[in-house]
Amino acid sequence: MGVSGTGKTTVGRLLAAELGVPYAEADEFHSAANIEKMRSGTPLTDEDRWPWLDSLGAWAASRAGLGGVVSCSALKRVYRDRLRAAAPGVVFLHLSGSRELITERQSAREGHFMPASLIASQFEALEELGADEAGVVVDVTPAPEEITAEAVAKLRKL
């Protein structure tokens, strides 16, 4: 989980490979209408997100007892609660970085529908993991391989 530009896809793929489980890219679960809305610079509403989150939750539930990694912004507690309702064993990896670093990365990104102009709205919506939520936080400043190694180490301690 994390705002756009934190490396969810890159680290998600590396993490899935390291753990030997399938990877699912949450962006592929968005409707065409959601993608067009974001491409135009309009933040999604909660109503836009519910069907998307339900699809992600169904995928995660289908992997119960088997394992899997799915990248998803999951910025708000209510979104994570919805995912947990569908897949109670889900564990979150929050990829965290400064607004400056993420804005710089997002601005340099090519071929993605999320414009850097929406980063501010993502940081405004972001609710940190609660103490009662299963998950870990990893800083995204290092290289993706280092982020993945730290994530694996922290996840194995849960």
Side-chain angles (χ1 to χ4, degrees):
M1 66 168 274
V3 300
S4 185
T6 55
K8 292 184 300 294
T9 299
T10 300
V11 173
R13 287 185 175 131
L14 290 169
L15 183 61
E18 179 70 25
L19 299 175
V21 296
Y23 170 74
E25 167 56 59
D27 287 345
E28 295 174 9
F29 289 74
H30 273 300
S31 68
N34 279 6
I35 290 173
E36 187 51 41
K37 193 170 186 178
M38 288 183 282
R39 184 174 281 131
S40 72
T42 304
L44 298 180
T45 65
D46 287 350
E47 290 72 32
D48 295 325
R49 287 185 180 92
W50 299 138
W52 174 65
L53 289 164
D54 291 341
S55 295
L56 295 171
W59 185 88
S62 77
R63 300 300 309 157
L66 303 170
V69 174
V70 62
S71 58
C72 173
S73 53
L75 299 176
K76 294 182 182 181
R77 170 76 185 240
V78 67
Y79 303 159
R80 297 188 299 272
D81 288 344
R82 193 160 183 130
L83 292 168
R84 270 190 296 274
V90 72
V91 174
F92 294 93
L93 166 59
H94 178 189
L95 297 178
S96 180
S98 71
R99 187 181 298 229
E100 295 75 25
L101 173 66
I102 303 307
T103 301
E104 178 183 311
R105 287 183 180 178
Q106 192 68 10
S107 296
R109 203 170 178 186
E110 294 180 12
H112 193 270
F113 59 80
M114 175 70 82
S117 62
L118 290 183
I119 294 297
S121 70
Q122 291 215 327
F123 273 100
E124 289 167 17
L126 178 62
E127 296 173 3
E128 303 289 336
L129 284 174
D132 62 332
E133 292 185 271
V136 298
V137 180
V138 176
D139 178 66
V140 297
T141 305
E145 294 77 15
E146 294 174 63
I147 296 166
T148 303
E150 182 179 346
V152 168
K154 285 185 170 183
L155 289 168
R156 287 195 169 136
K157 289 180 182 178
L158 291 181

